[in-house]
Amino acid sequence: MSAEFLAPRLRRVRPSPTAVISDQVRALSAAGTDVINLGEGELDFDTPAHIKQAGIDAIVQGDTKYTAVAGTAALKQAIMAKFKRENRISYRPDEVIAGSGAKQLIFNALLATVSSGDQVIIPAPYWVSYPDMVALSEGEPRIVHCLESDGWKLQPEVLAAAITPKTRWVILNSPNNPTGAVYSAAELHALAAVLLEHPQVLVMADDIYEQICFVPGIFATLAEVEPRLKERILTVNGVSKGYSMTGWRLGYAGGPAWLISAMQILQSQSTSNPSSISQAATVAALEQGNEFIAEWIDILTHRRALIMNCVNAIDGLSAEAPPGAFYVFANCQGMSGKTTPSGDILKTDEDFAAYLLQSGHVATLQGSAFGAPGYLRIAYAIDDNRLQEACERLTRACRALR
């Protein structure tokens, strides 16, 4: 089909870089190349048995029909109880919504509130989809660069300088993808002090990696830290990361009733309700405890150590151990200017990532995809033996550079 039939809005966005790398890995694998994928953001753990059983029970019992657009009453109660129990935030039923993944809810919130000329402050490094979602909503992504020396976290004075009369949203992602940075309650309180001075600004708290923290008690969310901002905050979460349920496609959010209502209208005219089977499984996930997380964290801690030892032993790479999520965000600026065995000169982080894929058969993701050129995101939530093999491949590929 000719491009002339496409709407102008499509020219504002790019394909998801994570989807692109996944497609490249699948193509190489289909051609017979053994590629180790350190580019995808999902745990290799199986969904816990009691959660799977709840989904199976829903099928057997015939819970396979339409539900309320925003989720079943049982799921809403489970979401509200989770927010109250774990985050000390109280919501009413009309202040929570479930959708087909947290990604859908973020997009719907932006689409419902952002108009042409509105600005959305996005701290970089950022999750790859934020700027494109803003662009699709006809808004202006206002990228604010955070520093590695600040732990990749937005500083209050930087936030204050970035806010303008056109600012509609600030997006805060903690634990962060791609850096693993986690905002403490004190750091969130300092940002809240700035936001209290700007009543026109909404806040998106993307907490999808909440469960994946390596320091006990470090996680906090903004509506919990500063209740006076609660009516301006959309707290987004889900079961994809903390419960290893990426394929179930179930996210949820809590926020002011007017915003949840608008998001529900959009959802009613697009996807309608999330999967009834996934909703039943999520009720079990939220209500029946997550004791398995401690074991998962122990395993991830070991894997994080493996990749950290690998990265910091390679000349030209460096990284600090991230306190959250399951990525290492490595500085690869030392690779710039090096020559590959085939004679190509590496000029960018994208060149380096492409070299690792084609020559080392290890997939990673360039930092420029996250608004941070000169870095490399390495996802380490894969089988220990495969991760060890990936480390050996990375080391060999880097040693081959001159």
Side-chain angles (χ1 to χ4, degrees):
M1 185 69 71
S2 173
E4 68 189 50
F5 289 97
L6 298 177
R9 73 176 68 89
L10 203 61
R11 292 195 291 268
R12 303 188 186 106
V13 299
R14 56 184 177 164
S16 168
T18 49
V20 170
I21 192 67
S22 295
D23 288 344
Q24 292 175 348
V25 169
R26 292 185 186 99
L28 284 169
S29 298
T33 302
D34 177 30
V35 178
I36 301 178
N37 192 354
L38 305 183
E40 277 192 330
E42 69 176 353
L43 296 168
D44 69 318
F45 306 130
D46 195 10
T47 302
H50 69 282
I51 299 174
K52 292 194 294 183
Q53 189 60 53
I56 293 168
D57 290 345
I59 295 171
V60 172
Q61 294 164 8
D63 293 338
T64 56
K65 307 300 183 182
Y66 291 132
T67 74
V69 169
T72 64
L75 178 55
K76 283 194 167 191
Q77 286 298 324
I79 292 168
M80 291 186 293
K82 183 275 174 200
F83 277 129
K84 183 69 173 178
R85 179 180 66 250
E86 298 181 11
N87 308 115
R88 291 156 291 282
I89 310 172
S90 297
Y91 288 115
R92 302 187 310 266
D94 63 344
E95 294 177 317
V96 295
I97 186 171
S100 299
K103 190 172 190 175
Q104 181 201 10
L105 297 173
I106 293 170
F107 183 50
N108 284 355
L110 294 171
L111 196 63
T113 56
V114 174
S115 301
S116 179
D118 287 343
Q119 296 175 347
V120 177
I121 293 175
I122 304 173
Y126 49 71
W127 178 47
V128 294
S129 292
Y130 293 146
D132 295 278
M133 288 179 173
V134 172
L136 273 173
S137 303
E138 300 187 351
E140 175 189 340
R142 184 169 173 80
I143 308 303
V144 177
H145 294 279
C146 301
L147 302 177
E148 186 176 8
S149 58
D150 290 327
W152 294 118
K153 287 180 273 193
L154 180 63
Q155 300 301 298
E157 63 275 13
V158 176
L159 172 60
I163 294 175
T164 75
K166 295 182 178 180
T167 303
R168 175 65 66 189
W169 285 93
V170 174
I171 298 178
L172 295 175
N173 175 212
S174 173
N176 177 263
N177 175 10
T179 67
V182 182
Y183 288 86
S184 69
E187 289 165 335
L188 289 174
H189 194 270
L191 294 174
V194 175
L195 292 164
L196 285 168
E197 299 298 318
H198 300 277
Q200 86 280 10
V201 179
L202 301 167
V203 186
M204 181 91 66
D206 183 353
D207 297 348
I208 193 67
Y209 291 91
E210 174 184 355
Q211 307 291 345
I212 314 298
C213 287
F214 300 99
V215 181
I218 189 175
F219 177 80
T221 193
L222 192 62
E224 168 191 11
V225 170
E226 181 47 87
R228 288 179 293 176
L229 285 173
K230 179 172 175 280
E231 291 304 307
R232 289 197 270 140
I233 298 172
L234 182 71
T235 303
V236 180
N237 213 315
V239 292
S240 62
K241 309 301 182 180
Y243 295 86
S244 199
M245 295 173 65
T246 48
W248 295 79
R249 306 311 305 141
L250 199 295
Y252 58 85
W258 65 266
L259 177 57
I260 298 299
S261 175
M263 293 165 63
Q264 181 174 328
I265 290 171
L266 283 175
Q267 192 161 298
S268 74
Q269 296 292 3
S270 54
T271 62
S272 192
N273 62 273
S275 162
S276 59
I277 299 159
S278 297
Q279 291 189 61
T282 300
V283 172
L286 298 181
E287 289 187 344
Q288 296 183 29
N290 56 0
E291 292 78 10
F292 53 86
I293 288 289
E295 180 183 356
W296 288 5
I297 293 296
D298 286 343
I299 295 170
L300 290 172
T301 299
H302 171 69
R303 293 173 178 176
R304 182 182 62 164
L306 277 178
I307 203 72
M308 286 296 302
N309 290 338
C310 171
V311 165
N312 287 322
I314 294 174
D315 183 35
L317 294 181
S318 64
E320 296 292 331
F326 39 81
Y327 311 105
V328 165
F329 202 56
N331 187 322
C332 64
Q333 295 169 41
M335 296 297 176
S336 180
K338 292 192 176 186
T339 304
T340 71
S342 62
D344 296 321
I345 298 175
L346 302 178
K347 298 178 182 179
T348 66
D349 56 336
E350 189 169 0
D351 291 341
F352 182 50
Y355 167 71
L356 293 178
L357 178 60
Q358 297 299 328
S359 297
H361 299 155
V362 177
T364 58
L365 206 58
Q366 65 272 14
S368 54
F370 305 93
Y375 290 82
L376 193 72
R377 193 192 77 171
I378 305 170
Y380 56 83
I382 67 169
D383 174 78
D384 288 23
N385 292 331
R386 291 290 281 172
L387 184 61
Q388 184 62 53
E389 171 66 20
C391 289
E392 293 169 5
R393 293 185 187 186
L394 286 171
T395 300
R396 285 196 299 270
C398 291
R399 284 178 178 171
L401 296 170
R402 293 292 179 265

